[in-house]
């Protein structure tokens, strides 16, 4: 009779009781030194044949879900980087005393001086800490249109001074939400003590060329800088003037 070296079947027969068969199978599974009849040179040390390390195979649906999660994280990271690059690094000023103040917004050659309200102030920062020094920037709300303006250089933001009598302006005379700007002139101004709101008495010509008087808050009056611009142009030397 041929001897079967399989540790699971070598000494098992149909007549072997089930309890002995289970004990024999358990013994052979726990003895890794005689696997399949081959001596593994364990030097008498019997180690467990089964290992705790397992490999988990993900189903196609699980793989797809995992890829979606990874893609979402990457997209959110890219969006954050783009926002930072667009706005630039800012260092907010701890002194927010200017927030809520009324200012005038205009550049050197702007025809109008637009009233605005400061909503935030901060400094642009240089990553390398090299000159030039940080620039003061503002976030503003256009008082006439209520639009938000961001990253406005401080050199274009000027202190607001109530307009004197005779100042030529453009006034929003619309009684609806629409804006209707027409030329007007300042007659006088008052400042309400409680709210510090500047209110102007103005005059303008209506469609019938009749002189009309009205009272308007600062948020509906925009100063024209044509006199300042004329003075500026008059001071510029003419081409070819060597004097």
């Amino acid at each position: 009779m041929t001897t079967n070296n399989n540790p699971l079947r070598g000494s098992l027969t149909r007549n072997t009781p089930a309890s002995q068969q289970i004990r024999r199978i358990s013994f052979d599974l726990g003895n890794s030194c005689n696997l399949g009849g081959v001596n593994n040179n364990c030097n008498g040390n019997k180690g467990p044949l089964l290992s705790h390390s397992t490999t988990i195979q993900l189903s196609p649906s699980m793989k797809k879900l995992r890829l979606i999660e990874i893609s979402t994280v990457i997209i959110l990271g890219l969006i954050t980087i783009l926002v930072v690059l667009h706005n630039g690094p800012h260092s907010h000023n701890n002194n927010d005393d200017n927030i809520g103040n009324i200012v005038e917004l205009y550049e050197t050659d702007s025809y109008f001086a637009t009233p605005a309200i400061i909503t935030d102030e901060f400094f642009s920062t240089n990553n390398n800490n090299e000159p030039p020094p940080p620039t003061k920037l503002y976030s503003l709300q256009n008082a006439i249109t209520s639009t938000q303006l961001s990253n406005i250089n401080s050199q274009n933001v000027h202190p607001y001074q109530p307009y004197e009598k005779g100042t030529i302006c453009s006034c929003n005379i619309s009684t609806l939400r629409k804006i209707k700007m027409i030329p007007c002139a300042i007659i006088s101004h008052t400042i309400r003590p409680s709210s510090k709101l500047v209110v102007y008495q103005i005059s303008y010509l209506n469609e019938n060329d009749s002189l009309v008087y009205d009272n308007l808050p600062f948020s509906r009056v925009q100063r024209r800088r044509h006199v300042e611009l004329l003075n500026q142009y008059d001071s510029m030397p003419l081409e070819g003037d060597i004097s």
Side-chain angles (χ1 to χ4, degrees):
M1 179 180 295
T2 304
T3 302
N4 191 337
N5 292 325
N6 190 328
L8 300 182
R9 301 185 60 183
S11 59
L12 301 181
T13 63
R14 294 180 179 178
N15 298 325
T16 304
S19 59
Q20 295 182 14
Q21 294 182 27
I22 294 174
R23 286 197 298 270
R24 179 59 186 274
I25 292 174
S26 302
F27 172 80
D28 288 334
L29 285 176
N31 183 5
S32 59
C33 298
N34 186 21
L35 181 60
V38 179
N39 190 350
N40 292 322
N41 298 323
C42 294
N43 297 324
N45 297 326
K46 296 181 180 181
L49 177 63
L50 300 180
S51 173
H52 291 288
S53 61
T54 57
T55 302
I56 300 176
Q57 297 293 335
L58 297 178
S59 65
S61 60
M62 291 294 292
K63 290 181 179 179
K64 184 177 181 180
L65 180 60
R66 184 60 177 168
L67 288 175
I68 292 175
E69 293 176 351
I70 295 174
S71 301
T72 303
V73 172
I74 293 175
I75 292 173
L76 291 176
L78 291 175
I79 292 176
T80 302
I81 293 173
L82 291 176
V83 170
V84 171
L85 291 177
H86 175 72
N87 293 331
H90 296 147
S91 175
H92 284 261
N93 188 7
N94 292 330
N95 184 8
D96 56 358
D97 292 341
N98 292 325
I99 295 179
N101 286 355
I102 305 171
V103 294
E104 276 191 326
L105 175 62
Y106 59 87
E107 297 180 352
T108 303
D109 56 350
S110 297
Y111 188 84
F112 294 104
T114 303
I117 301 173
I118 297 177
T119 57
D120 196 7
E121 55 181 336
F122 44 86
F123 289 91
S124 65
T125 56
N126 193 327
N127 292 332
N128 298 326
N129 294 324
E130 298 176 354
T135 303
K136 184 70 173 291
L137 300 175
Y138 289 98
S139 294
L140 305 174
Q141 178 180 343
N142 187 317
I144 294 178
T145 63
S146 297
T147 56
Q148 301 295 325
L149 308 171
S150 59
N151 297 334
I152 304 300
N153 196 302
S154 59
Q155 66 182 4
N156 299 323
V157 179
H158 309 273
Y160 188 91
Q161 298 293 336
Y163 305 149
E164 299 297 333
K165 179 180 180 179
T167 303
I168 304 301
C169 299
S170 289
C171 295
N172 177 19
I173 63 169
S174 175
T175 56
L176 303 176
R177 293 185 178 181
K178 295 182 179 179
I179 298 175
K180 182 179 180 180
M181 306 295 293
I182 66 169
C184 62
I186 301 297
I187 299 175
S188 64
H189 74 272
T190 57
I191 301 177
R192 294 179 180 176
S194 57
S195 61
K196 305 299 182 182
L197 179 67
V198 180
V199 179
Y200 293 101
Q201 184 182 18
I202 57 101
S203 62
Y204 63 92
L205 294 176
N206 62 13
E207 297 176 353
N208 299 323
D209 290 335
S210 298
L211 188 62
V212 178
Y213 298 94
D214 200 354
N215 294 315
L216 297 177
F218 80 95
S219 58
R220 301 180 67 178
V221 180
Q222 143 175 298
R223 181 169 62 91
R224 296 192 177 194
R225 299 181 60 242
H226 64 284
V227 176
E228 298 177 20
L229 294 177
L230 288 176
N231 293 336
Q232 174 185 339
Y233 295 146
D234 289 342
S235 64
M236 296 175 60
L238 298 176
E239 184 177 356
D241 187 356
I242 60 176
S243 59

